[in-house]
Amino acid sequence: FRKMLVATNGFIFFLSVVFKSAVVARALFASSSLSSPTPTNERRPVAWTIAGSDASGGAGVEADQRVMHSLGVHACCVTTALTAQNTREVAAVLPTAAAHVEATLAALERDLGCPAAVKVGMLADGAVARAVADFLDRTTSFVVVDPILLSTSGKALLDDDGLDVLVTRILPRCDLVTPNLPEAEALLGREITGTADLKAAAIALADTFNTSVLAKGGHVFSSANANAN
């Protein structure tokens, strides 16, 4: 069954940092585990983050790995791109070779098997997106997709070929998609204004891709505040 969640105001930090990363993996504790090096030798769930590397450490695989670790999850990282960025801008993006992404995914599968959950973020280009889509086709993991299209500063982080793969293959396979306002607008091809419209957009996305949607509303309120000023 599908459910639709809409984030507003004070939830934005939680959604963009914690939920976006790996909190879903925690709910799938029994699906996949790894022996822990901790003194208690407890077994921990395994989750993978498939995303770009953020040089500033505020997002991407670096942030995902920190959040997963804080939730008691063993994080495996598949890096889809290297970025030259700081807290204010993305200066350059270097996509990882698709063959290397494929090799990384295969290596993790051979050793660790099927992860409890997979979080997909930045895909960079069509070749990388297809490599990730091929992996998702053969895994039974719970899949969360954060459809990264643009950086906050406006830098394109996914080309047109990659967007086509995202829309036709990856989103229909995912269990939860977490778009912000600009991402939801791009996926629907229309402008979204206000909270009520954001809710309607989330329902439309859920219907289009047959998945659950968590629409992050921070941009709605930021725009409203800017207009008020």
mmCIF file of all heavy atoms in Angstrom, residues 117-157:
data_model
loop_
_atom_site.group_PDB
_atom_site.id
_atom_site.type_symbol
_atom_site.label_atom_id
_atom_site.label_comp_id
_atom_site.label_asym_id
_atom_site.label_seq_id
_atom_site.Cartn_x
_atom_site.Cartn_y
_atom_site.Cartn_z
ATOM 1 N N ALA A 117 18.741 -2.157 3.401
ATOM 2 C CA ALA A 117 18.167 -0.991 2.729
ATOM 3 C C ALA A 117 19.228 -0.325 1.879
ATOM 4 O O ALA A 117 20.426 -0.436 2.144
ATOM 5 C CB ALA A 117 17.603 -0.007 3.747
ATOM 6 N N VAL A 118 18.757 0.375 0.861
ATOM 7 C CA VAL A 118 19.637 1.121 -0.031
ATOM 8 C C VAL A 118 19.103 2.538 -0.144
ATOM 9 O O VAL A 118 17.905 2.737 -0.376
ATOM 10 C CB VAL A 118 19.689 0.485 -1.436
ATOM 11 C CG1 VAL A 118 20.503 1.361 -2.394
ATOM 12 C CG2 VAL A 118 20.261 -0.919 -1.377
ATOM 13 N N LYS A 119 19.968 3.509 0.046
ATOM 14 C CA LYS A 119 19.600 4.905 -0.171
ATOM 15 C C LYS A 119 20.325 5.396 -1.417
ATOM 16 O O LYS A 119 21.542 5.315 -1.507
ATOM 17 C CB LYS A 119 19.958 5.762 1.033
ATOM 18 C CG LYS A 119 19.554 7.234 0.868
ATOM 19 C CD LYS A 119 20.743 8.100 0.577
ATOM 20 C CE LYS A 119 20.315 9.546 0.355
ATOM 21 N NZ LYS A 119 21.477 10.449 0.257
ATOM 22 N N VAL A 120 19.559 5.873 -2.398
ATOM 23 C CA VAL A 120 20.125 6.373 -3.648
ATOM 24 C C VAL A 120 20.026 7.890 -3.650
ATOM 25 O O VAL A 120 18.943 8.449 -3.434
ATOM 26 C CB VAL A 120 19.385 5.802 -4.869
ATOM 27 C CG1 VAL A 120 19.957 6.377 -6.164
ATOM 28 C CG2 VAL A 120 19.464 4.281 -4.872
ATOM 29 N N GLY A 121 21.153 8.549 -3.906
ATOM 30 C CA GLY A 121 21.167 9.995 -3.984
ATOM 31 C C GLY A 121 21.602 10.462 -5.357
ATOM 32 O O GLY A 121 21.029 10.067 -6.370
ATOM 33 N N MET A 122 22.653 11.255 -5.405
ATOM 34 C CA MET A 122 23.139 11.818 -6.666
ATOM 35 C C MET A 122 23.606 10.715 -7.616
ATOM 36 O O MET A 122 24.345 9.814 -7.237
ATOM 37 C CB MET A 122 24.300 12.771 -6.372
ATOM 38 C CG MET A 122 24.944 13.370 -7.588
ATOM 39 S SD MET A 122 26.347 14.406 -7.098
ATOM 40 C CE MET A 122 27.035 14.772 -8.718
ATOM 41 N N LEU A 123 23.167 10.809 -8.878
ATOM 42 C CA LEU A 123 23.529 9.809 -9.887
ATOM 43 C C LEU A 123 24.411 10.374 -10.998
ATOM 44 O O LEU A 123 25.000 9.611 -11.759
ATOM 45 C CB LEU A 123 22.258 9.200 -10.486
ATOM 46 C CG LEU A 123 21.429 8.353 -9.511
ATOM 47 C CD1 LEU A 123 20.063 8.040 -10.093
ATOM 48 C CD2 LEU A 123 22.180 7.081 -9.136
ATOM 49 N N ALA A 124 24.460 11.665 -11.138
ATOM 50 C CA ALA A 124 25.383 12.371 -12.037
ATOM 51 C C ALA A 124 25.045 12.263 -13.519
ATOM 52 O O ALA A 124 24.831 13.262 -14.186
ATOM 53 C CB ALA A 124 26.832 11.951 -11.792
ATOM 54 N N ASP A 125 25.035 11.039 -14.065
ATOM 55 C CA ASP A 125 24.778 10.925 -15.504
ATOM 56 C C ASP A 125 24.056 9.614 -15.835
ATOM 57 O O ASP A 125 23.831 8.767 -14.968
ATOM 58 C CB ASP A 125 26.069 11.066 -16.314
ATOM 59 C CG ASP A 125 27.099 9.965 -16.045
ATOM 60 O OD1 ASP A 125 26.711 8.876 -15.577
ATOM 61 O OD2 ASP A 125 28.297 10.191 -16.317
ATOM 62 N N GLY A 126 23.709 9.468 -17.111
ATOM 63 C CA GLY A 126 22.927 8.319 -17.538
ATOM 64 C C GLY A 126 23.628 6.995 -17.361
ATOM 65 O O GLY A 126 23.008 5.992 -16.995
ATOM 66 N N ALA A 127 24.933 6.967 -17.615
ATOM 67 C CA ALA A 127 25.675 5.709 -17.503
ATOM 68 C C ALA A 127 25.680 5.203 -16.065
ATOM 69 O O ALA A 127 25.457 4.012 -15.796
ATOM 70 C CB ALA A 127 27.106 5.895 -18.007
ATOM 71 N N VAL A 128 25.915 6.104 -15.119
ATOM 72 C CA VAL A 128 25.895 5.726 -13.703
ATOM 73 C C VAL A 128 24.486 5.324 -13.292
ATOM 74 O O VAL A 128 24.284 4.330 -12.584
ATOM 75 C CB VAL A 128 26.409 6.881 -12.826
ATOM 76 C CG1 VAL A 128 26.162 6.588 -11.348
ATOM 77 C CG2 VAL A 128 27.892 7.130 -13.063
ATOM 78 N N ALA A 129 23.494 6.083 -13.734
ATOM 79 C CA ALA A 129 22.105 5.781 -13.385
ATOM 80 C C ALA A 129 21.702 4.389 -13.869
ATOM 81 O O ALA A 129 21.017 3.648 -13.160
ATOM 82 C CB ALA A 129 21.178 6.843 -13.979
ATOM 83 N N ARG A 130 22.134 4.017 -15.081
ATOM 84 C CA ARG A 130 21.804 2.683 -15.589
ATOM 85 C C ARG A 130 22.483 1.593 -14.771
ATOM 86 O O ARG A 130 21.895 0.529 -14.529
ATOM 87 C CB ARG A 130 22.194 2.577 -17.062
ATOM 88 C CG ARG A 130 21.118 3.098 -18.015
ATOM 89 C CD ARG A 130 21.479 2.834 -19.472
ATOM 90 N NE ARG A 130 22.553 3.730 -19.910
ATOM 91 C CZ ARG A 130 22.344 4.978 -20.343
ATOM 92 N NH1 ARG A 130 21.126 5.474 -20.377
ATOM 93 N NH2 ARG A 130 23.343 5.731 -20.731
ATOM 94 N N ALA A 131 23.719 1.831 -14.354
ATOM 95 C CA ALA A 131 24.411 0.846 -13.513
ATOM 96 C C ALA A 131 23.664 0.641 -12.200
ATOM 97 O O ALA A 131 23.507 -0.495 -11.719
ATOM 98 C CB ALA A 131 25.845 1.301 -13.252
ATOM 99 N N VAL A 132 23.186 1.726 -11.623
ATOM 100 C CA VAL A 132 22.430 1.636 -10.370
ATOM 101 C C VAL A 132 21.082 0.976 -10.616
ATOM 102 O O VAL A 132 20.640 0.129 -9.824
ATOM 103 C CB VAL A 132 22.254 3.043 -9.754
ATOM 104 C CG1 VAL A 132 21.323 2.985 -8.538
ATOM 105 C CG2 VAL A 132 23.606 3.618 -9.360
ATOM 106 N N ALA A 133 20.419 1.317 -11.700
ATOM 107 C CA ALA A 133 19.119 0.710 -12.019
ATOM 108 C C ALA A 133 19.252 -0.794 -12.213
ATOM 109 O O ALA A 133 18.388 -1.567 -11.765
ATOM 110 C CB ALA A 133 18.536 1.363 -13.270
ATOM 111 N N ASP A 134 20.328 -1.230 -12.859
ATOM 112 C CA ASP A 134 20.550 -2.666 -13.054
ATOM 113 C C ASP A 134 20.687 -3.378 -11.712
ATOM 114 O O ASP A 134 20.167 -4.489 -11.524
ATOM 115 C CB ASP A 134 21.804 -2.902 -13.898
ATOM 116 C CG ASP A 134 21.624 -2.520 -15.354
ATOM 117 O OD1 ASP A 134 20.461 -2.357 -15.792
ATOM 118 O OD2 ASP A 134 22.651 -2.363 -16.052
ATOM 119 N N PHE A 135 21.384 -2.736 -10.781
ATOM 120 C CA PHE A 135 21.529 -3.324 -9.451
ATOM 121 C C PHE A 135 20.176 -3.392 -8.742
ATOM 122 O O PHE A 135 19.827 -4.422 -8.144
ATOM 123 C CB PHE A 135 22.514 -2.514 -8.610
ATOM 124 C CG PHE A 135 22.391 -2.757 -7.138
ATOM 125 C CD1 PHE A 135 22.780 -3.973 -6.589
ATOM 126 C CD2 PHE A 135 21.847 -1.797 -6.304
ATOM 127 C CE1 PHE A 135 22.642 -4.225 -5.223
ATOM 128 C CE2 PHE A 135 21.705 -2.024 -4.942
ATOM 129 C CZ PHE A 135 22.104 -3.239 -4.405
ATOM 130 N N LEU A 136 19.400 -2.307 -8.813
ATOM 131 C CA LEU A 136 18.103 -2.287 -8.132
ATOM 132 C C LEU A 136 17.161 -3.338 -8.699
ATOM 133 O O LEU A 136 16.322 -3.884 -7.971
ATOM 134 C CB LEU A 136 17.472 -0.898 -8.250
ATOM 135 C CG LEU A 136 18.231 0.247 -7.573
ATOM 136 C CD1 LEU A 136 17.484 1.567 -7.765
ATOM 137 C CD2 LEU A 136 18.451 -0.034 -6.086
ATOM 138 N N ASP A 137 17.313 -3.657 -9.974
ATOM 139 C CA ASP A 137 16.470 -4.684 -10.594
ATOM 140 C C ASP A 137 16.707 -6.068 -9.993
ATOM 141 O O ASP A 137 15.816 -6.921 -10.030
ATOM 142 C CB ASP A 137 16.733 -4.749 -12.103
ATOM 143 C CG ASP A 137 16.094 -3.607 -12.868
ATOM 144 O OD1 ASP A 137 15.228 -2.919 -12.300
ATOM 145 O OD2 ASP A 137 16.484 -3.389 -14.035
ATOM 146 N N ARG A 138 17.898 -6.274 -9.457
ATOM 147 C CA ARG A 138 18.211 -7.617 -8.962
ATOM 148 C C ARG A 138 18.261 -7.708 -7.431
ATOM 149 O O ARG A 138 18.512 -8.790 -6.891
ATOM 150 C CB ARG A 138 19.542 -8.093 -9.534
ATOM 151 C CG ARG A 138 20.770 -7.287 -9.134
ATOM 152 C CD ARG A 138 22.042 -7.861 -9.761
ATOM 153 N NE ARG A 138 23.241 -7.156 -9.341
ATOM 154 C CZ ARG A 138 23.845 -6.189 -10.031
ATOM 155 N NH1 ARG A 138 23.349 -5.808 -11.203
ATOM 156 N NH2 ARG A 138 24.953 -5.605 -9.565
ATOM 157 N N THR A 139 18.005 -6.611 -6.733
ATOM 158 C CA THR A 139 18.038 -6.660 -5.274
ATOM 159 C C THR A 139 16.630 -6.620 -4.709
ATOM 160 O O THR A 139 15.712 -6.068 -5.329
ATOM 161 C CB THR A 139 18.854 -5.503 -4.681
ATOM 162 O OG1 THR A 139 18.982 -5.683 -3.262
ATOM 163 C CG2 THR A 139 18.181 -4.154 -4.932
ATOM 164 N N THR A 140 16.464 -7.193 -3.534
ATOM 165 C CA THR A 140 15.171 -7.147 -2.846
ATOM 166 C C THR A 140 15.193 -6.153 -1.693
ATOM 167 O O THR A 140 14.271 -6.115 -0.881
ATOM 168 C CB THR A 140 14.807 -8.541 -2.300
ATOM 169 O OG1 THR A 140 15.843 -8.981 -1.398
ATOM 170 C CG2 THR A 140 14.659 -9.549 -3.427
ATOM 171 N N SER A 141 16.219 -5.341 -1.608
ATOM 172 C CA SER A 141 16.366 -4.372 -0.525
ATOM 173 C C SER A 141 15.256 -3.321 -0.550
ATOM 174 O O SER A 141 14.675 -3.029 -1.599
ATOM 175 C CB SER A 141 17.711 -3.653 -0.644
ATOM 176 O OG SER A 141 18.784 -4.554 -0.659
ATOM 177 N N PHE A 142 15.008 -2.741 0.617
ATOM 178 C CA PHE A 142 14.139 -1.567 0.702
ATOM 179 C C PHE A 142 14.924 -0.400 0.110
ATOM 180 O O PHE A 142 16.054 -0.138 0.507
ATOM 181 C CB PHE A 142 13.788 -1.277 2.165
ATOM 182 C CG PHE A 142 12.715 -0.245 2.344
ATOM 183 C CD1 PHE A 142 11.398 -0.616 2.532
ATOM 184 C CD2 PHE A 142 13.019 1.115 2.344
ATOM 185 C CE1 PHE A 142 10.399 0.327 2.714
ATOM 186 C CE2 PHE A 142 12.030 2.071 2.516
ATOM 187 C CZ PHE A 142 10.714 1.678 2.698
ATOM 188 N N VAL A 143 14.325 0.323 -0.833
ATOM 189 C CA VAL A 143 15.050 1.358 -1.572
ATOM 190 C C VAL A 143 14.435 2.728 -1.326
ATOM 191 O O VAL A 143 13.240 2.941 -1.557
ATOM 192 C CB VAL A 143 15.053 1.055 -3.083
ATOM 193 C CG1 VAL A 143 15.773 2.168 -3.853
ATOM 194 C CG2 VAL A 143 15.717 -0.292 -3.353
ATOM 195 N N VAL A 144 15.257 3.641 -0.853
ATOM 196 C CA VAL A 144 14.877 5.036 -0.669
ATOM 197 C C VAL A 144 15.633 5.864 -1.702
ATOM 198 O O VAL A 144 16.845 5.736 -1.833
ATOM 199 C CB VAL A 144 15.233 5.544 0.745
ATOM 200 C CG1 VAL A 144 14.833 7.014 0.904
ATOM 201 C CG2 VAL A 144 14.569 4.688 1.804
ATOM 202 N N VAL A 145 14.920 6.706 -2.444
ATOM 203 C CA VAL A 145 15.557 7.537 -3.464
ATOM 204 C C VAL A 145 15.371 9.005 -3.122
ATOM 205 O O VAL A 145 14.242 9.481 -2.961
ATOM 206 C CB VAL A 145 14.987 7.250 -4.869
ATOM 207 C CG1 VAL A 145 15.590 8.226 -5.889
ATOM 208 C CG2 VAL A 145 15.282 5.815 -5.278
ATOM 209 N N ASP A 146 16.475 9.707 -3.002
ATOM 210 C CA ASP A 146 16.474 11.159 -2.889
ATOM 211 C C ASP A 146 16.847 11.672 -4.282
ATOM 212 O O ASP A 146 18.014 11.586 -4.675
ATOM 213 C CB ASP A 146 17.499 11.608 -1.847
ATOM 214 C CG ASP A 146 17.449 13.100 -1.606
ATOM 215 O OD1 ASP A 146 16.496 13.750 -2.073
ATOM 216 O OD2 ASP A 146 18.367 13.630 -0.959
ATOM 217 N N PRO A 147 15.886 12.160 -5.061
ATOM 218 C CA PRO A 147 16.142 12.469 -6.470
ATOM 219 C C PRO A 147 16.937 13.763 -6.652
ATOM 220 O O PRO A 147 16.382 14.812 -6.977
ATOM 221 C CB PRO A 147 14.728 12.587 -7.053
ATOM 222 C CG PRO A 147 13.906 13.086 -5.903
ATOM 223 C CD PRO A 147 14.489 12.431 -4.670
ATOM 224 N N ILE A 148 18.237 13.680 -6.468
ATOM 225 C CA ILE A 148 19.103 14.856 -6.547
ATOM 226 C C ILE A 148 19.215 15.324 -7.996
ATOM 227 O O ILE A 148 19.751 14.612 -8.853
ATOM 228 C CB ILE A 148 20.509 14.538 -6.003
ATOM 229 C CG1 ILE A 148 20.422 14.001 -4.576
ATOM 230 C CG2 ILE A 148 21.396 15.770 -6.079
ATOM 231 C CD1 ILE A 148 19.911 14.994 -3.563
ATOM 232 N N LEU A 149 18.717 16.520 -8.265
ATOM 233 C CA LEU A 149 18.758 17.074 -9.612
ATOM 234 C C LEU A 149 19.644 18.313 -9.689
ATOM 235 O O LEU A 149 20.376 18.506 -10.658
ATOM 236 C CB LEU A 149 17.344 17.436 -10.078
ATOM 237 C CG LEU A 149 16.306 16.309 -10.033
ATOM 238 C CD1 LEU A 149 14.954 16.820 -10.508
ATOM 239 C CD2 LEU A 149 16.761 15.120 -10.859
ATOM 240 N N LEU A 150 19.565 19.166 -8.665
ATOM 241 C CA LEU A 150 20.333 20.409 -8.621
ATOM 242 C C LEU A 150 20.925 20.600 -7.242
ATOM 243 O O LEU A 150 20.360 20.159 -6.237
ATOM 244 C CB LEU A 150 19.431 21.617 -8.921
ATOM 245 C CG LEU A 150 18.815 21.758 -10.302
ATOM 246 C CD1 LEU A 150 17.799 22.895 -10.283
ATOM 247 C CD2 LEU A 150 19.892 22.039 -11.347
ATOM 248 N N SER A 151 22.067 21.268 -7.172
ATOM 249 C CA SER A 151 22.615 21.667 -5.885
ATOM 250 C C SER A 151 21.832 22.879 -5.385
ATOM 251 O O SER A 151 21.091 23.515 -6.150
ATOM 252 C CB SER A 151 24.091 22.029 -6.019
ATOM 253 O OG SER A 151 24.231 23.241 -6.754
ATOM 254 N N THR A 152 21.980 23.206 -4.119
ATOM 255 C CA THR A 152 21.304 24.378 -3.567
ATOM 256 C C THR A 152 21.700 25.648 -4.307
ATOM 257 O O THR A 152 20.900 26.570 -4.471
ATOM 258 C CB THR A 152 21.643 24.524 -2.064
ATOM 259 O OG1 THR A 152 21.253 23.320 -1.395
ATOM 260 C CG2 THR A 152 20.916 25.696 -1.445
ATOM 261 N N SER A 153 22.946 25.685 -4.798
ATOM 262 C CA SER A 153 23.431 26.860 -5.521
ATOM 263 C C SER A 153 23.035 26.850 -6.990
ATOM 264 O O SER A 153 23.349 27.776 -7.732
ATOM 265 C CB SER A 153 24.958 26.956 -5.394
ATOM 266 O OG SER A 153 25.589 25.806 -5.943
ATOM 267 N N GLY A 154 22.329 25.785 -7.447
ATOM 268 C CA GLY A 154 21.832 25.750 -8.808
ATOM 269 C C GLY A 154 22.651 24.937 -9.796
ATOM 270 O O GLY A 154 22.325 24.892 -10.981
ATOM 271 N N LYS A 155 23.680 24.240 -9.338
ATOM 272 C CA LYS A 155 24.508 23.412 -10.210
ATOM 273 C C LYS A 155 23.754 22.132 -10.587
ATOM 274 O O LYS A 155 23.239 21.427 -9.729
ATOM 275 C CB LYS A 155 25.817 23.051 -9.502
ATOM 276 C CG LYS A 155 26.768 22.161 -10.302
ATOM 277 C CD LYS A 155 27.539 22.937 -11.315
ATOM 278 C CE LYS A 155 28.634 22.082 -11.950
ATOM 279 N NZ LYS A 155 29.408 22.829 -12.958
ATOM 280 N N ALA A 156 23.705 21.822 -11.883
ATOM 281 C CA ALA A 156 23.047 20.593 -12.325
ATOM 282 C C ALA A 156 23.844 19.383 -11.849
ATOM 283 O O ALA A 156 25.047 19.296 -12.054
ATOM 284 C CB ALA A 156 22.927 20.583 -13.843
ATOM 285 N N LEU A 157 23.162 18.434 -11.229
ATOM 286 C CA LEU A 157 23.815 17.242 -10.688
ATOM 287 C C LEU A 157 23.328 15.954 -11.352
ATOM 288 O O LEU A 157 23.704 14.865 -10.937
ATOM 289 C CB LEU A 157 23.596 17.168 -9.174
ATOM 290 C CG LEU A 157 24.147 18.356 -8.374
ATOM 291 C CD1 LEU A 157 23.829 18.198 -6.892
ATOM 292 C CD2 LEU A 157 25.654 18.513 -8.584
#
